[in-house]
């Protein structure tokens, strides 16, 4: 049987053929041996080599990633001299106290809730001084204009123009414009202006934009915004023109300027736990010279709803420099009525929200397309809208507000309170991002994106 098997193998693989294949088989075996030894060596090298170093940690985003800001050193006539001459800024009273403490005003020592060093009687139009103080200490400020992304113009336009707005003297259009014109004449001669014609410049206007939009000499205010040099400058203002993409609205200053995050947290805890005994409140005064004045209607309505509405009548000068009654009214009410003022927006809106009260608007322009950087673009989450025409036609404000469930009121109040850090102005010493930071970061980012778009 074995002989038969050998015979068959010889038949299949003749000895001559096997002898001829031996060199080839030896070469293959040698190649396989070399490959095996290489694999063993490689494996030993991998096992014996030290582990690769960990990847470098991701660089945390820098506050200045959007770029640096250069602050113009304007001639003092456009800022510092205005403060030095503070007694001449108003024909009736001195503005020296109002503009003291870097724009915060005098300290408030008679507030019932949380008196102390963080509360001031701050004027609603003092933001120009406050922003100048803060931006000089900004961590992204540079003194080298060639390295700047954005350029800030610290002109106190509202302070300069304000003295000409509320008197019976026959001030001319030139009186209301000359400081603005002089500043722009100086500005357009600067090399940093000429490189961009102002498209990377921004300014803070401490009054509503309408005070700077006079179209005819006989109209109200200054024509500052319409001057040709202003065409490309980004403008921060306490009330913007909703159709002007070069304007960004910023919150009116309140009287709370905390020095630490702890103070912010303490205030938030306080307003969150406050017992509110009134459904709604109205703080304001009649304007007898205005026909069919809506504020007069609200005052009369509130006096007739004493069980639901708390009134602070600000007739005359009673509320001019602030009064503790205003804060007490907001702290004690679920809702606060916010009719339009001389313009569509009011400083009172932010005083109301600071106290954790829910604002009730009667004109959509009082909140829509305003303050979106700070409050978001969904005002229905933190406010109520009742059309002023419906109120005039007999709609009951009380019944509308009573229609909200306690859960809905709680949710709106939580949203209001969560927004407080976004619209207060701290003193710049570590409370986290406040309204100033949000505004300046937003405008620098806007200018950077615009510059990058122009380079494409």
């Amino acid at each position: 049987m074995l002989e038969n098997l050998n015979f068959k193998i010889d038949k299949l693989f003749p000895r001559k053929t096997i002898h001829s294949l031996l060199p080839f088989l030896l070469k293959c075996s040698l190649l396989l041996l070399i490959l095996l030894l290489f694999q063993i060596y490689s494996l030993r090298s991998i096992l014996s080599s030290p582990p690769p170093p960990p990847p470098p940690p991701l660089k945390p985003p820098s506050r200045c990633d959007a770029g640096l800001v250069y602050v113009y050193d304007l001639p003092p006539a456009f800022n510092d001299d205005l403060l030095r001459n503070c007694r001449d800024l108003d024909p009736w009273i001195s503005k020296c106290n109002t503009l003291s403490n870097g724009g915060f005003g005098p300290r408030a020592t008679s507030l019932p809730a949380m008196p102390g060093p963080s509360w001031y009687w701050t004027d609603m139009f003092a933001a120009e001084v406050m922003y100048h103080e803060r931006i000089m200490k900004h961590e992204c400020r540079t003194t080298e204009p060639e390295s700047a992304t954005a350029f800030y113009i610290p002109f106190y336009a509202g302070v300069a123009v304000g003295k000409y707005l509320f008197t019976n003297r026959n001030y001319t259009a030139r009186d209301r414009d000359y400081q603005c014109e002089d500043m722009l004449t100086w500005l357009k001669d600067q090399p940093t202006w000429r490189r961009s014609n102002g498209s990377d410049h921004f300014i803070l206007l401490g009054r509503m934009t309408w005070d700077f939009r006079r179209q005819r000499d006989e109209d109200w205010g200054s024509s500052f915004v319409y001057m040709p040099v202003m065409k490309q400058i980004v403008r921060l203002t306490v009330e913007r023109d909703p159709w002007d993409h070069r304007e960004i609205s910023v919150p009116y200053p309140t009287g709370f300027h905390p020095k630490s995050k702890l103070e912010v947290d303490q205030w938030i805890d306080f307003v969150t736990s406050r017992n509110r005994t009134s459904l709604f409140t109205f703080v304001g005064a009649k304007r007898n010279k205005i026909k069919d004045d809506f504020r007069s209607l609200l005052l009369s309505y509130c006096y007739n709803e004493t069980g639901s509405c708390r009134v602070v009548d600000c007739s005359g000068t009673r509320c001019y420099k602030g009064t503790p009654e205003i804060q007490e009214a907001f702290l004690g009410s679920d809702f606060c009525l916010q009719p339009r003022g001389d313009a569509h927006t009011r400083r009172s809106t932010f005083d109301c929200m600071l106290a954790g009260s829910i604002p009730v608007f009667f004109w959509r322009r009082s909140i829509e397309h305003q303050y979106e950087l700070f409050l978001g673009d969904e005002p229905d989450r933190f406010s109520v809208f009742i059309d002023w025409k419906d109120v005039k036609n007999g709609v009951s404000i009380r019944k509308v507000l009573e229609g909200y469930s306690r859960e809905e009121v709680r949710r709106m109040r939580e949203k209001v309170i969560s927004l407080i850090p976004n619209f207060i102005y701290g003193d710049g010493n570590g409370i986290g991002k406040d309204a100033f930071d949000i505004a300046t970061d937003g405008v620098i980012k806007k200018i950077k994106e615009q510059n990058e778009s122009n380079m494409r």
Side-chain angles (χ1 to χ4, degrees), residues 250-386:
V250 300
Y252 288 91
T254 69
F256 183 43
H257 305 292
K259 300 182 184 303
S260 68
K261 188 174 184 302
L262 176 62
E263 289 185 15
V264 179
D265 293 341
Q266 286 175 337
W267 178 253
I268 286 175
D269 290 343
F270 177 77
V271 297
T272 300
S273 60
R274 183 77 175 183
N275 180 34
R276 300 173 190 269
T277 56
S278 299
L279 179 62
F280 59 102
T281 188
F282 177 56
V283 176
K286 296 179 181 180
R287 296 182 295 177
N288 294 322
K289 293 183 180 180
I290 297 179
K291 185 180 179 182
D292 297 326
D293 177 35
F294 189 69
R295 290 196 198 183
S296 298
L297 184 152
L298 290 183
L299 273 175
S300 299
Y301 179 82
C302 276
Y303 279 127
N304 290 326
E305 292 281 359
T306 52
S308 302
C309 185
R310 186 169 180 169
V311 181
V312 179
D313 188 341
C314 289
S315 299
T317 59
R318 184 167 170 234
C319 301
Y320 182 73
K321 291 186 178 180
T323 170
E325 288 180 74
I326 296 174
Q327 189 187 52
E328 282 285 11
F330 290 145
L331 285 168
S333 304
D334 283 329
F335 298 92
C336 56
L337 307 186
Q338 295 297 326
R340 60 168 294 170
D342 295 319
H344 280 89
T345 61
R346 297 178 80 201
R347 150 53 184 280
S348 177
T349 296
F350 294 99
D351 290 333
C352 148
M353 293 177 68
L354 180 63
S357 192
I358 301 162
V360 179
F361 298 110
F362 302 92
W363 279 264
R364 292 201 181 275
R365 282 181 60 186
S366 293
I367 192 61
E368 290 186 358
H369 309 299
Q370 301 286 350
Y371 318 114
E372 292 180 340
L373 267 181
F374 312 86
L375 307 180
D377 58 0
E378 297 178 288
D380 289 347
R381 295 184 63 195
F382 62 84
S383 67
V384 172
F385 175 74
I386 307 173

Side-chain angles (χ1 to χ4, degrees), residues 53 58 77 104 164-165 176 217 286 292 294 300 324 351 366 368 377 397 431 451:
L58 291 175
F104 289 174
Y164 301 106
L165 299 181
R176 289 173 278 159
D217 285 355
K286 296 179 181 180
D292 297 326
F294 189 69
S300 299
D351 290 333
S366 293
E368 290 186 358
D377 58 0
I397 296 171
I431 69 165
N451 292 344

Side-chain angles (χ1 to χ4, degrees), residues 276 278-279 333-335 356-358 381-384 400-417:
R276 300 173 190 269
S278 299
L279 179 62
S333 304
D334 283 329
F335 298 92
S357 192
I358 301 162
R381 295 184 63 195
F382 62 84
S383 67
V384 172
V400 171
L401 299 181
E402 286 177 340
Y404 286 90
S405 69
R406 295 314 299 171
E407 177 60 23
E408 289 173 313
V409 172
R410 183 192 64 78
R411 282 202 304 268
M412 282 192 284
R413 175 170 298 111
E414 283 183 354
K415 183 61 178 177
V416 165
I417 292 172

